[in-house]
Amino acid sequence: MDCSRVAAADSDFLRNMLMQRTAEQLGRDAWEIWQAGLAAVRSERLMRGAVQLDGSALVIGDDEIDLAAIDRIWVVGAGKAGAGMAAALEEILGPRILAAKQVTGWVNVPADCVRKLAAIHLHAARPAGRNEPTAAGIVGAERILEIAGGAGPRDLCICLISGGASALLPAPTAGVSLADKLAVTRCLSAAGANIAELNTVRKQLSRIKGGGLLRACRAGRLATLVISDVIGDPLEVIGSGPTVPDGSTAAEALAVLERYDARRAGVPQGVFDYLRGRTATWRPAPTSQWSNLVIGNNATAVDAAGVKAEQLGYSHAMHCATTHEGEAEAVGRHLAQMAVRMRGGPGPDCLITGGEPVVTLAPEEARGQGGRNQQLALAALIELESADVDGIALLSGATDGEDGPTDAAGAMIDPQTMARARGAASELIDALRRSDAYPTLERLGALLKTGPTHTNVCDVRVVVVDRVAERAP
């Protein structure tokens, strides 16, 4: 061991711990920590860690598939990470296997993720920034069902599922229209329903969700690779579980709609009538071998962010939500209160958390523009402004780069932001009340814009503080 290098590293760490962190450094550090979390869950990186070609065998997780026994490889899927996952899979297989196994496929992705690949078609299933089912998505979902249904007993079907797949895979069941599904999505999202509740309803109204793709697949083997955007990684909820046997019922879906008073909010009566008459139960899948493997999740990002924080000289604490977090505003206020306590006392000077809160939107006639991370950041700003403290930076960002129907991933509240916002409490509170965080945060120079990241593992938040007053002799 090189003791001089160890001593130098220890000296650097102590120097970082003792130095005053400027306002600029706090913001820069928060950004670098968040970016390190994002880098760890890039779809290409996750795919290369989960799938390898070993001679004549394709290794997916712990499963080894003898390619000599495979005639063709079909690839299907959907999600915001779909383009990166598909591109990485082609790279892993390489030109020889792509040709020998006649690899082809279809993956539904947002329009701004479409690019030309060698064998797999990326289909624009919805416009950028509009996380809702569309007619183009139905076209793509039908093609995916056709591909899976046309595979043979000596074929391998690889399914790529990631966050956003539910909206990108609309295949309404008979008696339910696209307009009906849109009404359900908009109603439950605006009311603050969590993803499990929303997908419980979606599965009952779909031919592809809730194990529908698994039932349709005729390949001898179906292997699904999943990048999880749901806390706790419940396979039946991620992307509404297209390749997972489903135990949910129409009665459970009706209970969700009743809980949020969906009839009064505009969900058509036909949806309720359909669910009351639905008696379908899970049918066994014809595919003889099938598997679902989670290759990345929120904890992956939070852990990597923690490593970066340590490298930057922070004493950090980390927490990943394991249950639904509740309202974004409450999470933002809590993080701000934690930041104030961290600033004023001993203990960690960096807090990294992961999760996915919800937003109950303002009435449509008063509603502005924003997303859950922006709403969280604005609530935190209001809390910090009232506490009148500096030496704090707080960043909240969606790992897919798409926070609500906006071009921002989230926002960062730092000392400069707080200085610009000073004295504007009433304006900030009004924007929060109207779900209109975007223009306010844009005016304050606080928005984070990353563009599509080709991954999606919920949100990562970073709080860093400077406690130089405590350290001063």
Side-chain angles (χ1 to χ4, degrees), residues 174 306 349:
D349 53 3

Side-chain angles (χ1 to χ4, degrees), residues 97-336:
I97 297 298
L98 290 177
K101 301 303 174 183
Q102 304 173 66
V103 177
T104 190
W106 186 291
V107 178
N108 279 9
V109 298
D112 54 349
C113 295
V114 171
R115 50 178 151 146
K116 178 70 174 174
L117 299 181
I120 303 166
H121 175 71
L122 299 178
H123 174 66
R126 67 161 174 82
R130 181 183 164 191
N131 198 29
E132 294 180 333
T134 67
I138 293 177
V139 170
E142 295 292 351
R143 181 67 184 123
I144 287 168
L145 288 168
E146 289 173 8
I147 289 172
R154 282 180 51 87
D155 292 345
L156 168 65
C157 184
I158 299 175
C159 183
L160 309 174
I161 295 296
S162 57
S166 289
L168 289 161
L169 275 181
T173 191
V176 176
S177 68
L178 175 61
D180 292 336
K181 298 202 75 171
L182 271 170
V184 167
T185 300
R186 289 172 178 172
C187 163
L188 294 179
S189 298
N194 63 51
I195 191 65
E197 293 171 319
L198 179 57
N199 287 358
T200 293
V201 181
R202 283 167 157 169
K203 287 188 286 186
Q204 297 299 317
L205 305 177
S206 174
R207 291 178 292 112
I208 198 168
K209 298 177 174 67
L213 181 55
L214 174 59
R215 288 193 301 270
C217 185
R218 296 299 186 271
R221 186 160 193 161
L222 170 63
T224 303
L225 297 160
V226 180
I227 297 178
S228 173
D229 70 327
V230 181
I231 298 304
D233 307 334
L235 288 167
E236 71 279 5
V237 177
I238 303 166
S240 296
T243 61
V244 182
D246 182 44
S248 67
T249 65
E252 291 170 340
L254 278 167
V256 171
L257 293 175
E258 295 292 350
R259 188 177 306 138
Y260 291 99
D261 202 7
R263 186 183 286 102
R264 191 162 67 93
V267 171
Q269 181 62 39
V271 172
F272 293 89
D273 294 340
Y274 170 80
L275 289 172
R276 289 196 181 94
R278 181 175 170 83
T279 58
T281 56
W282 171 256
R283 303 190 308 275
T287 299
S288 58
Q289 296 185 71
W290 52 270
S291 62
N292 290 273
L293 175 66
V294 175
I295 65 173
N297 58 16
N298 188 251
T300 309
V302 170
D303 287 347
V307 171
K308 185 63 176 180
E310 188 172 346
Q311 291 171 350
L312 291 174
Y314 287 90
S315 172
H316 66 283
M318 301 184 297
H319 174 73
C320 282
T322 56
T323 58
H324 300 296
E325 292 190 289
E327 294 283 339
E329 294 95 324
V331 176
R333 287 192 293 270
H334 175 69
L335 288 176

